[in-house]
Amino acid sequence: MRAMVCTRYGPPEVLELQELDKPVPKAGEILIKVHASTVTAGDCEIRSFKFPVLLWIPLRLYLGVRKPRMKVLGQEFAGEIESAGNEQTLFVEGDRVFGSAELKLGTYADYLCLPADYAIARMADELNFEEAATIPTGGMNALFFLRKAQIQPGQKILIIGAGGSIGTMAVQLAKNSGAEVTAIDSGEKLDMLLSIGADKVIDYRKEDFTATDETYDVIFDVAGKSPFSKTVNLIKPEGVYLMGNPNLAQMFRRLLQTKKGDRKIIAGAASYKSEDLRYLNGLITDGKIRPVIDRIFPLEELSEAHHYVESGVKKGNVVISNR
């Protein structure tokens, strides 16, 4: 099978197209013919091994000390079940599925073997493979954090870094909860954010969103890059600050009591569940959320796709097509 192999940690050029043996499913596993995957900021971090200090040692031990232990990267996918091992009854041959390989990785290839009890679900009929591949990472992360906030109709939510895979899902999920959504990102992404439901948009390059008297019930900092001391003061008493990718300093500061009110500051990592994918599937079927795709690259142009994602200009998702 074709696979894009990560030969070492480094720039996108370390990704090489190679021929590998087609995997064989073990007991409890399924063999998936991958039709589409994506490139997220997280995929680029794994390839280059640029992580916060707090995560450096455990991830280096898990992913490989000198070079990647899992040679084929990629976290989310959409495809078809080609065959299934014994001891699993969740899927049958021919099922159209989408899901996450999590840190097992391996989606940048023609075939992928995963345990059937991973976060995998059947695709909505309304989706093609390229669209379905964009749902798992963005959808499950946005869902995880917004559920923590318990958003109520009429509440005001600020989403910082709203133009990526997680942010575009968060905007739509917050609108479905009845919130008034203000989305922050670079200017070229603002029209897209308005098109998926944002009530207000802010270009962070032109406007300091912290220099305002506006306050919010919920702030979701998707990338964890906003200035903590200024941003936390924009939260209403008893409001919630969601930190999607906090750096080391922010992780420690969240342990300190904020200056006023009883604000909750929540950081962490999303848990991936197949029932969440089925829930997102239902929202798609009902027309309440939709995938946002910027560009589609063929598998052999994966390096170019990684360069594009690292440029910071992508709107929503960048998809890799195996078809």
Side-chain angles (χ1 to χ4, degrees):
M1 68 172 184
R2 298 178 310 154
M4 290 297 293
V5 172
C6 186
T7 57
R8 57 185 173 86
Y9 298 118
E13 286 71 26
V14 303
L15 299 166
E16 296 181 358
L17 185 65
Q18 296 184 10
E19 286 289 327
L20 301 181
D21 291 336
K22 182 177 174 180
V24 177
K26 302 175 184 176
E29 289 188 339
I30 51 178
L31 175 65
I32 302 156
K33 169 62 175 153
V34 179
H35 291 304
S37 56
T38 69
V39 179
T40 67
D43 294 314
C44 295
E45 287 177 337
I46 292 172
R47 186 213 71 239
S48 61
F49 208 87
K50 293 180 179 179
F51 290 105
V53 175
L54 189 67
L55 300 175
W56 203 95
I57 293 177
L59 283 179
R60 197 76 172 193
L61 292 173
Y62 179 81
L63 294 173
V65 176
R66 295 184 178 180
K67 61 182 180 179
R69 181 175 291 113
M70 284 76 76
K71 295 181 179 179
V72 181
L73 307 184
Q75 299 178 72
E76 58 187 343
F77 66 89
E80 294 178 89
I81 303 295
E82 177 146 316
S83 64
N86 298 326
E87 302 176 11
Q88 79 81 33
T89 58
L90 297 174
F91 301 101
V92 298
E93 182 179 333
D95 279 346
R96 299 167 73 246
V97 295
F98 69 127
S100 174
E102 302 181 40
L103 286 180
K104 188 177 176 68
L105 307 178
T107 67
Y108 295 153
D110 286 331
Y111 292 93
L112 169 69
C113 271
L114 288 176
D117 59 0
Y118 264 41
I120 303 169
R122 293 176 181 84
M123 291 167 42
D125 292 338
E126 291 79 3
L127 292 175
N128 61 39
F129 292 111
E130 288 76 17
E131 292 169 331
T134 70
I135 303 298
T137 298
M140 288 191 288
N141 275 278
L143 195 61
F144 173 83
F145 282 101
L146 294 183
R147 281 174 171 169
K148 296 285 186 183
Q150 298 180 339
I151 295 172
Q152 302 299 313
Q155 286 188 323
K156 296 169 64 176
I157 179 170
L158 177 69
I159 301 176
I160 306 168
S165 57
I166 298 174
T168 50
M169 278 292 167
V171 168
Q172 296 178 81
L173 291 170
K175 284 298 295 181
N176 281 320
S177 297
E180 178 185 308
V181 178
T182 298
I184 298 179
D185 215 304
S186 54
E188 62 269 17
K189 303 180 186 182
L190 301 188
D191 286 343
M192 177 272 292
L193 290 168
L194 289 169
S195 75
I196 60 172
D199 298 287
K200 302 176 183 177
V201 291
I202 297 173
D203 182 350
Y204 73 86
R205 293 171 179 166
K206 295 181 178 180
E207 182 178 347
D208 180 2
F209 71 93
T210 65
T212 178
D213 294 328
E214 191 78 63
T215 57
Y216 302 89
D217 298 284
V218 179
I219 294 180
F220 184 14
D221 184 359
V222 175
K225 295 181 179 179
S226 62
F228 181 91
S229 58
K230 292 182 179 180
T231 305
V232 76
N233 287 325
L234 302 181
I235 304 172
K236 294 179 181 180
E238 300 185 1
V240 180
Y241 189 6
L242 304 169
M243 299 169 64
N245 187 25
N247 60 35
L248 184 60
Q250 289 171 318
M251 287 293 287
F252 280 110
R253 294 194 69 168
R254 70 178 285 267
L255 301 177
L256 303 177
Q257 187 149 8
T258 51
K259 294 180 179 179
K260 57 183 179 179
D262 187 24
R263 303 180 184 93
K264 292 182 180 179
I265 302 174
I266 299 173
S271 55
Y272 287 6
K273 301 176 182 178
S274 55
E275 53 262 39
D276 289 341
L277 288 179
R278 291 191 288 270
Y279 174 76
L280 293 165
N281 237 346
L283 294 179
I284 292 166
T285 300
D286 293 341
K288 294 181 178 179
I289 62 173
R290 63 179 177 85
V292 178
I293 295 177
D294 183 346
R295 293 189 182 183
I296 299 175
F297 292 82
L299 180 64
E300 56 269 23
E301 294 180 13
L302 182 62
S303 295
E304 287 82 356
H306 272 241
H307 272 298
Y308 184 67
V309 171
E310 288 184 323
S311 73
V313 300
K314 78 175 177 78
K315 303 172 185 176
N317 296 273
V318 167
V319 174
I320 303 301
S321 177
N322 291 35
R323 297 197 286 172

